[in-house]
Amino acid sequence: MSKKALITGITGQDGAYLAQFLLSKGYEVHGMARRSSSSDVNTARLKWLGIERDVRIVDGNLLDLSGLIRTVSDIKPDEVYNLAAQSFVFSSWQQPLLTGEVTALGVTNVLEALRIAKPDARFYQASSSEMYGLVQHPIQSEKTPFYPRSPYAVAKLYGHWITVNYRESFGIHASSGILFNHESPLRGIEFVTRKVTDAVAKIKLGLDRELRLGNIEAKRDWGHARDYVQAMWLMLQQDKADDYVVATGRTSTVRMMCEIAFEHVGLNVNDHLVIDEKLFRPAEVEILLGDPAKAKEKLGWEAKTTLEEMIREMVDADIARHKKA
Ligand code: NDP
Ligand code: GDP
């Protein structure tokens, strides 16, 4: 009998890569997706990976507890990966209440569904390095205190602690992965890496001339989503649930990331980059740099893809997309 996994947020970047990875391991993969009038948009990432027919999609929303309970009762998953969230930091100032409902309380809804309908299922919570915010230590590990700097990060902090609490209160095998930024050709276009690679592709093809960005001195520890979803799975294979930082251990500025993208197609970033004050955030996370030592030691996990390799892959994918369009 193959193992069953339920992924919330299956239509997102990580949902798609995780589904692909679990299918390769022989899992029966169920994915929860919000009903949309544009179902083709919903499955675009799964189609990109060629797995849309292999995943079983179930209609649902993180805000709908009874639906979640029904889904968990019907599927009886061995593993539940809670990836669904209002995941964009910038939007979280515009929609702070929705962000709190989905990204924070939504986690409790999923945990409640498990507690009621399948308490022995293993649970993964998609926590975030944004929780470190105004960093309290130059290199962030599982022991570094949190200091969230956006409604998104505050909501993720709730999600993190409620996961720890359900583990300690009810013995649920619930793990929290504190993942640093991870990207791919499937990254949402609103995030800075994909915004840059898409713009570089358009500029190279003569479809655009400039790229407008906000704070290009911000530093991030960027890895590849394909590598990071493997760490999620490894966490649920451990005898004991725990919390893990997943990162590369290298940090780069947004400017450096742009340079990699422009250089890849033989262009100079300074000829196209425009700084736009409107894109600066009310409170910024200036630097993130993770210490993945625990994940390496306990899970045997390490990031494989360099920032250069990933950005080049993303630029090439965006060029191919625009040529096809
Ligand atoms: P995406 O934004 O690509 O995907 C988010 C997913 O959540 C989408 O499938 C979206 O559905 C779904 N979703 C949003 N609201 C609801 C809701 N109310 N009910 C059900 N589903 C909902 O994010 P990623 O794949 O990049 O990230 C996955 C998770 O990891 C997120 O929780 C994110 O916050 C977290 N994370 C991501 C990091 C990163 O660098 N990528 C870093 C650290 C944490 P729809 O398609 O309908 O919008
Ligand atoms: P985040 O770390 O989850 O907020 O991921 P993002 O990719 O959205 O942002 C990473 C960093 O890039 C942040 O410090 C942003 O302030 C910075 N940044 C600079 N310009 C932009 C922009 O135009 N869009 C986005 N999304 N981020 C930008």
Side-chain angles (χ1 to χ4, degrees), residues 89 130 181 190 192 195 213-215 218 220 254 281 284:
V89 170
E130 288 290 320
N181 296 53
E190 64 276 32
V192 76
K195 181 175 173 179
L213 292 179
N215 178 16
R220 290 291 181 275
V254 172
R281 297 176 173 188
E284 179 61 286

Side-chain angles (χ1 to χ4, degrees), residues 13 88 181-201 211 213 220-224 252-254 256-258 260-262 281 307 310-312 314-315 318:
Q13 167 187 263
F88 188 39
N181 296 53
H182 46 281
E183 323 289 314
S184 74
L186 299 184
R187 184 62 145 151
I189 200 125
E190 64 276 32
F191 294 91
V192 76
T193 52
R194 184 72 204 297
K195 181 175 173 179
V196 168
T197 62
D198 183 64
V200 165
L211 164 63
L213 292 179
R220 290 291 181 275
D221 179 333
W222 278 295
H224 199 303
S252 312
T253 59
V254 172
M256 284 156 75
M257 181 270 294
C258 286
I260 298 168
F262 277 95
R281 297 176 173 188
L307 178 61
M310 180 179 74
I311 293 297
R312 288 176 198 140
M314 291 171 67
V315 171
D318 280 319

Side-chain angles (χ1 to χ4, degrees), residues 3 6-7 12 19 37 79 93 126 130 145 180 211 221 228 232 275 306-307:
K3 273 194 184 173
L6 171 64
I7 303 174
S37 60
E79 296 171 10
W93 279 285
E130 288 290 320
F180 282 61
L211 164 63
D221 179 333
Y228 283 35
M232 299 176 185
I275 301 301
T306 65
L307 178 61

Side-chain angles (χ1 to χ4, degrees), residues 2-5 7 10 15-31 46 49-57 79 81 229 233:
S2 54
K3 273 194 184 173
K4 287 189 223 169
I7 303 174
I10 188 87
Y17 280 110
L18 179 65
Q20 182 184 48
F21 178 71
L22 294 176
L23 286 167
S24 79
K25 292 255 166 220
Y27 277 69
E28 184 179 302
V29 178
H30 299 256
L46 299 172
L49 296 178
I51 56 170
E52 78 278 13
R53 288 174 207 282
D54 305 323
V55 172
R56 302 163 195 221
I57 299 291
E79 296 171 10
Y81 296 86
V229 298
W233 175 77

